[in-house]
Amino acid sequence: MKKTLLFIIAILSFVIAEAQLHISTDTRKDAYWNATNEEWVITSTNTEELTFFNFNKAMTLFKHVTPSMTSAYIIDKVTNADDDKKMYEFDITSDVGNKYHMYIDEANMMIYITYTDSDDVLHAVIHIIKKIWNDSDSE
């Protein structure tokens, strides 16, 4: 019941709130962290994975649109925001209750969404940013 209510609130918030920040991406990479070598190991790359991230004005919710589905996320907490480095970090929860950590690296035009699996391995979905814009950019 709690997950259903959370999902309904998230969806209604997207309908009511206008999106402020928009990010389009054109490549998706999947990776895991090799703790021994201390490096990300890319397991797949899709250069035709076009997606959109649409944030509400308050930066409390966003919608991620992919070719196969649309998911809603609540931004639970901003864990770091460095305007000089153009790096932003968030703890996020999906519309089905999964927890992730999200990094928007505007300087390097990348988005990282990380999670730890049941074997305690750190994974990342890496999106290459095509464009970033605000609603005010089009006015």
Side-chain angles (χ1 to χ4, degrees):
M1 178 69 182
K2 186 177 179 181
K3 286 183 183 180
T4 303
L5 183 59
L6 179 66
F7 176 74
I8 291 169
I9 290 169
I11 295 302
L12 287 175
S13 296
F14 280 118
V15 171
I16 295 168
E18 286 184 70
Q20 172 70 27
L21 175 67
H22 309 278
I23 301 174
S24 65
T25 69
D26 60 8
T27 299
R28 174 191 167 132
K29 296 180 182 187
D30 293 281
Y32 70 90
W33 181 251
N34 181 317
T36 305
N37 296 337
E38 295 187 346
E39 65 183 6
W40 287 106
V41 177
I42 305 295
T43 58
S44 67
T45 300
N46 183 344
T47 58
E48 298 192 19
E49 175 84 8
L50 305 174
T51 73
F52 288 92
F53 292 84
N54 297 303
F55 294 81
N56 70 338
K57 286 184 180 182
M59 292 296 287
T60 56
L61 299 165
F62 70 92
K63 181 170 44 171
H64 185 207
V65 181
T66 72
S68 60
M69 66 187 298
T70 299
S71 300
Y73 295 84
I74 294 173
I75 298 174
D76 299 311
K77 180 180 173 187
V78 177
T79 57
N80 188 23
D82 188 330
D83 290 333
D84 292 334
K85 292 183 180 179
K86 296 186 175 186
M87 174 69 94
Y88 310 95
E89 295 181 46
F90 312 94
D91 289 331
I92 61 175
T93 302
S94 73
D95 52 12
V96 295
N98 296 324
K99 302 279 188 181
Y100 302 96
H101 196 73
M102 179 181 200
Y103 303 83
I104 299 176
D105 182 353
E106 191 176 341
N108 293 306
M109 300 296 278
M110 300 175 99
I111 295 173
Y112 301 86
I113 300 172
T114 62
Y115 63 94
T116 303
D117 69 13
S118 59
D119 293 325
D120 237 11
V121 175
L122 182 63
H123 292 266
V125 177
I126 305 162
H127 294 276
I128 307 303
I129 297 172
K130 182 177 178 182
K131 185 174 180 180
I132 301 173
W133 70 99
N134 290 306
D135 285 344
S136 60
D137 292 345
S138 60
E139 295 176 1

